[in-house]
Amino acid sequence: MSHRKPSSDTTRATIRDVAEQAGVSVASVSRVLSGNYPVSDDLRRRVMKVVGDLDYVTNAHARSLAGGGTPTVAILINNITGAAFAHVAKGVEGAATLRGWLSLVGTTGDDPERELALVNLMRQQGVAAVVLLGGAYDYDEYQLRMARFARSLDAAGSRLVLVGRPPLEGDVPATTVDYDNEGGAYAMASHLLSAGHRRVLILPGPAELTTAQGRLRGARRAFEAYGVPFEQGLVRHGPYDDEHGYGAVEAALHEILDFTAVLAGTDVVAAGAMQALRAAGLRVPEDVSIVGYDDIPLASQLTPQLTTVHVPYEEMGRVALRAVADRREGDAARRRSADGDHLVLGTHVVVRNSVQPPPTRR
């Protein structure tokens, strides 16, 4: 049996390539892919293995990518109810609509395997771009597989776009639209330290998520700059939801940790932390100051209004779509280029009413 592959990474595999490598007829491959005819499990396994090995995309999708249909952008988001990245999706969709593109939205449920599977599915569907929103998972296998999909998308005339996460390592053809995540955390921790706080309960987010890692690095760097010892025992990892904020503060109070401020990884976490402080009979900010991150509408609706880090989420979405469209509609040399683009937007602290100097006595 022949195991010939397409002559280069940029040559699209054909249905004949799949049939030859699987040792079956073109008609058999067509039956398996259409799903409209009964085929044996053995035949389906053999054909689908070769389809995966060759990164085969059906001709209908290839024609769409070649310009025969309306360009479509797939937006993959961890949680569709999450306010921060819903604003990114709004920015992507708005910019896509202005160009006459269609938008699809899929959710990953914070599951890296589902995220990888959806990226692969969107590649097979022939979308013009796959936009991933939110932090990435920091382990080698995930990074390697995502890089493989990025190259496969590029070979198919599509583009992987990473929004709100670091670029993939190495020479990977992907566009990254990020924000100064670490710098925002540095500025926020500095704000607390300059107000006189020294013992800060830090809730950066899930330990394996690059977003949380960057926010923790920024906070740690601020403590070093101020010459204040950084206490790892005051760091509590967990999901970006209000339940974690409530539970982490409740547990810290139960352990009688003498903290005077809470640095929450998101505004939603901060809202939960604020509830826990009130339930314990503590006032914000008179007894404990609290800050967030994201500057979603919730931040200004809380009482007191929340001091937080503003992230230009909607603008990130617009920039991401423009970057893809400019590359797609640009000159031939740029379209053939496999280099990565990395764009970084700034963040800043929004000072409201949830911070004041620590009380002299608890």
PDB file of all heavy atoms in Angstrom, residues 293-308:
ATOM      1  N   TYR A 293     -10.470  43.129  38.098  1.00  0.00           N
ATOM      2  CA  TYR A 293      -9.739  43.165  36.823  1.00  0.00           C
ATOM      3  C   TYR A 293     -10.757  42.924  35.709  1.00  0.00           C
ATOM      4  O   TYR A 293     -11.573  42.015  35.810  1.00  0.00           O
ATOM      5  CB  TYR A 293      -8.676  42.061  36.792  1.00  0.00           C
ATOM      6  CG  TYR A 293      -7.504  42.318  35.866  1.00  0.00           C
ATOM      7  CD1 TYR A 293      -6.220  42.496  36.364  1.00  0.00           C
ATOM      8  CD2 TYR A 293      -7.671  42.381  34.486  1.00  0.00           C
ATOM      9  CE1 TYR A 293      -5.138  42.724  35.525  1.00  0.00           C
ATOM     10  CE2 TYR A 293      -6.608  42.619  33.641  1.00  0.00           C
ATOM     11  CZ  TYR A 293      -5.340  42.789  34.158  1.00  0.00           C
ATOM     12  OH  TYR A 293      -4.278  43.028  33.327  1.00  0.00           O
ATOM     13  N   ASP A 294     -10.752  43.739  34.673  1.00  0.00           N
ATOM     14  CA  ASP A 294     -11.562  43.623  33.452  1.00  0.00           C
ATOM     15  C   ASP A 294     -12.319  44.909  33.173  1.00  0.00           C
ATOM     16  O   ASP A 294     -12.439  45.331  32.041  1.00  0.00           O
ATOM     17  CB  ASP A 294     -12.587  42.475  33.490  1.00  0.00           C
ATOM     18  CG  ASP A 294     -11.960  41.108  33.314  1.00  0.00           C
ATOM     19  OD1 ASP A 294     -10.841  41.042  32.758  1.00  0.00           O
ATOM     20  OD2 ASP A 294     -12.577  40.116  33.754  1.00  0.00           O
ATOM     21  N   ASP A 295     -12.933  45.523  34.214  1.00  0.00           N
ATOM     22  CA  ASP A 295     -13.771  46.700  34.058  1.00  0.00           C
ATOM     23  C   ASP A 295     -14.993  46.404  33.195  1.00  0.00           C
ATOM     24  O   ASP A 295     -15.302  47.139  32.253  1.00  0.00           O
ATOM     25  CB  ASP A 295     -12.983  47.886  33.483  1.00  0.00           C
ATOM     26  CG  ASP A 295     -13.732  49.206  33.652  1.00  0.00           C
ATOM     27  OD1 ASP A 295     -14.566  49.299  34.573  1.00  0.00           O
ATOM     28  OD2 ASP A 295     -13.484  50.133  32.853  1.00  0.00           O
ATOM     29  N   ILE A 296     -15.700  45.331  33.537  1.00  0.00           N
ATOM     30  CA  ILE A 296     -16.981  45.052  32.902  1.00  0.00           C
ATOM     31  C   ILE A 296     -18.044  45.934  33.555  1.00  0.00           C
ATOM     32  O   ILE A 296     -17.797  46.525  34.615  1.00  0.00           O
ATOM     33  CB  ILE A 296     -17.351  43.560  33.006  1.00  0.00           C
ATOM     34  CG1 ILE A 296     -17.475  43.136  34.480  1.00  0.00           C
ATOM     35  CG2 ILE A 296     -16.318  42.701  32.284  1.00  0.00           C
ATOM     36  CD1 ILE A 296     -17.966  41.705  34.657  1.00  0.00           C
ATOM     37  N   PRO A 297     -19.234  46.082  32.977  1.00  0.00           N
ATOM     38  CA  PRO A 297     -20.255  46.967  33.570  1.00  0.00           C
ATOM     39  C   PRO A 297     -20.545  46.682  35.044  1.00  0.00           C
ATOM     40  O   PRO A 297     -20.866  47.608  35.801  1.00  0.00           O
ATOM     41  CB  PRO A 297     -21.478  46.699  32.690  1.00  0.00           C
ATOM     42  CG  PRO A 297     -20.896  46.361  31.351  1.00  0.00           C
ATOM     43  CD  PRO A 297     -19.645  45.577  31.653  1.00  0.00           C
ATOM     44  N   LEU A 298     -20.428  45.421  35.459  1.00  0.00           N
ATOM     45  CA  LEU A 298     -20.667  45.061  36.859  1.00  0.00           C
ATOM     46  C   LEU A 298     -19.835  45.900  37.810  1.00  0.00           C
ATOM     47  O   LEU A 298     -20.280  46.241  38.918  1.00  0.00           O
ATOM     48  CB  LEU A 298     -20.352  43.575  37.061  1.00  0.00           C
ATOM     49  CG  LEU A 298     -20.344  43.050  38.496  1.00  0.00           C
ATOM     50  CD1 LEU A 298     -21.757  43.062  39.073  1.00  0.00           C
ATOM     51  CD2 LEU A 298     -19.743  41.647  38.553  1.00  0.00           C
ATOM     52  N   ALA A 299     -18.604  46.251  37.418  1.00  0.00           N
ATOM     53  CA  ALA A 299     -17.680  46.943  38.324  1.00  0.00           C
ATOM     54  C   ALA A 299     -18.245  48.263  38.830  1.00  0.00           C
ATOM     55  O   ALA A 299     -18.061  48.629  39.998  1.00  0.00           O
ATOM     56  CB  ALA A 299     -16.343  47.168  37.626  1.00  0.00           C
ATOM     57  N   SER A 300     -18.940  48.985  37.967  1.00  0.00           N
ATOM     58  CA  SER A 300     -19.500  50.282  38.382  1.00  0.00           C
ATOM     59  C   SER A 300     -20.879  50.135  39.000  1.00  0.00           C
ATOM     60  O   SER A 300     -21.437  51.115  39.517  1.00  0.00           O
ATOM     61  CB  SER A 300     -19.572  51.235  37.183  1.00  0.00           C
ATOM     62  OG  SER A 300     -20.381  50.690  36.160  1.00  0.00           O
ATOM     63  N   GLN A 301     -21.441  48.930  38.990  1.00  0.00           N
ATOM     64  CA  GLN A 301     -22.766  48.692  39.566  1.00  0.00           C
ATOM     65  C   GLN A 301     -22.702  48.185  41.000  1.00  0.00           C
ATOM     66  O   GLN A 301     -23.721  48.172  41.696  1.00  0.00           O
ATOM     67  CB  GLN A 301     -23.521  47.687  38.687  1.00  0.00           C
ATOM     68  CG  GLN A 301     -23.806  48.202  37.279  1.00  0.00           C
ATOM     69  CD  GLN A 301     -24.185  47.107  36.304  1.00  0.00           C
ATOM     70  OE1 GLN A 301     -24.294  45.935  36.683  1.00  0.00           O
ATOM     71  NE2 GLN A 301     -24.378  47.466  35.043  1.00  0.00           N
ATOM     72  N   LEU A 302     -21.525  47.737  41.432  1.00  0.00           N
ATOM     73  CA  LEU A 302     -21.367  47.250  42.792  1.00  0.00           C
ATOM     74  C   LEU A 302     -21.372  48.417  43.774  1.00  0.00           C
ATOM     75  O   LEU A 302     -21.160  49.569  43.399  1.00  0.00           O
ATOM     76  CB  LEU A 302     -20.052  46.475  42.926  1.00  0.00           C
ATOM     77  CG  LEU A 302     -19.947  45.160  42.149  1.00  0.00           C
ATOM     78  CD1 LEU A 302     -18.515  44.631  42.177  1.00  0.00           C
ATOM     79  CD2 LEU A 302     -20.914  44.125  42.717  1.00  0.00           C
ATOM     80  N   THR A 303     -21.614  48.093  45.047  1.00  0.00           N
ATOM     81  CA  THR A 303     -21.558  49.104  46.107  1.00  0.00           C
ATOM     82  C   THR A 303     -20.559  48.642  47.164  1.00  0.00           C
ATOM     83  O   THR A 303     -20.781  47.615  47.802  1.00  0.00           O
ATOM     84  CB  THR A 303     -22.933  49.309  46.755  1.00  0.00           C
ATOM     85  OG1 THR A 303     -23.872  49.676  45.732  1.00  0.00           O
ATOM     86  CG2 THR A 303     -22.871  50.397  47.810  1.00  0.00           C
ATOM     87  N   PRO A 304     -19.441  49.361  47.343  1.00  0.00           N
ATOM     88  CA  PRO A 304     -19.029  50.539  46.579  1.00  0.00           C
ATOM     89  C   PRO A 304     -18.591  50.156  45.160  1.00  0.00           C
ATOM     90  O   PRO A 304     -18.329  48.999  44.887  1.00  0.00           O
ATOM     91  CB  PRO A 304     -17.841  51.065  47.389  1.00  0.00           C
ATOM     92  CG  PRO A 304     -17.237  49.825  47.981  1.00  0.00           C
ATOM     93  CD  PRO A 304     -18.413  48.952  48.334  1.00  0.00           C
ATOM     94  N   GLN A 305     -18.536  51.147  44.297  1.00  0.00           N
ATOM     95  CA  GLN A 305     -18.063  50.898  42.941  1.00  0.00           C
ATOM     96  C   GLN A 305     -16.624  50.396  42.987  1.00  0.00           C
ATOM     97  O   GLN A 305     -15.816  50.846  43.792  1.00  0.00           O
ATOM     98  CB  GLN A 305     -18.163  52.168  42.097  1.00  0.00           C
ATOM     99  CG  GLN A 305     -19.601  52.604  41.825  1.00  0.00           C
ATOM    100  CD  GLN A 305     -19.667  53.805  40.913  1.00  0.00           C
ATOM    101  OE1 GLN A 305     -18.836  54.707  40.990  1.00  0.00           O
ATOM    102  NE2 GLN A 305     -20.672  53.835  40.042  1.00  0.00           N
ATOM    103  N   LEU A 306     -16.326  49.459  42.106  1.00  0.00           N
ATOM    104  CA  LEU A 306     -15.082  48.697  42.191  1.00  0.00           C
ATOM    105  C   LEU A 306     -13.934  49.359  41.442  1.00  0.00           C
ATOM    106  O   LEU A 306     -14.055  49.680  40.247  1.00  0.00           O
ATOM    107  CB  LEU A 306     -15.315  47.297  41.635  1.00  0.00           C
ATOM    108  CG  LEU A 306     -14.181  46.284  41.759  1.00  0.00           C
ATOM    109  CD1 LEU A 306     -13.939  45.920  43.228  1.00  0.00           C
ATOM    110  CD2 LEU A 306     -14.517  45.030  40.947  1.00  0.00           C
ATOM    111  N   THR A 307     -12.817  49.540  42.124  1.00  0.00           N
ATOM    112  CA  THR A 307     -11.568  49.906  41.458  1.00  0.00           C
ATOM    113  C   THR A 307     -11.058  48.667  40.718  1.00  0.00           C
ATOM    114  O   THR A 307     -11.007  47.578  41.284  1.00  0.00           O
ATOM    115  CB  THR A 307     -10.531  50.380  42.490  1.00  0.00           C
ATOM    116  OG1 THR A 307     -10.974  51.620  43.052  1.00  0.00           O
ATOM    117  CG2 THR A 307      -9.169  50.581  41.859  1.00  0.00           C
ATOM    118  N   THR A 308     -10.682  48.852  39.458  1.00  0.00           N
ATOM    119  CA  THR A 308     -10.366  47.690  38.638  1.00  0.00           C
ATOM    120  C   THR A 308      -9.411  48.061  37.513  1.00  0.00           C
ATOM    121  O   THR A 308      -9.043  49.230  37.355  1.00  0.00           O
ATOM    122  CB  THR A 308     -11.666  47.076  38.074  1.00  0.00           C
ATOM    123  OG1 THR A 308     -11.381  45.852  37.396  1.00  0.00           O
ATOM    124  CG2 THR A 308     -12.354  48.032  37.106  1.00  0.00           C
TER     125      THR A 308
END
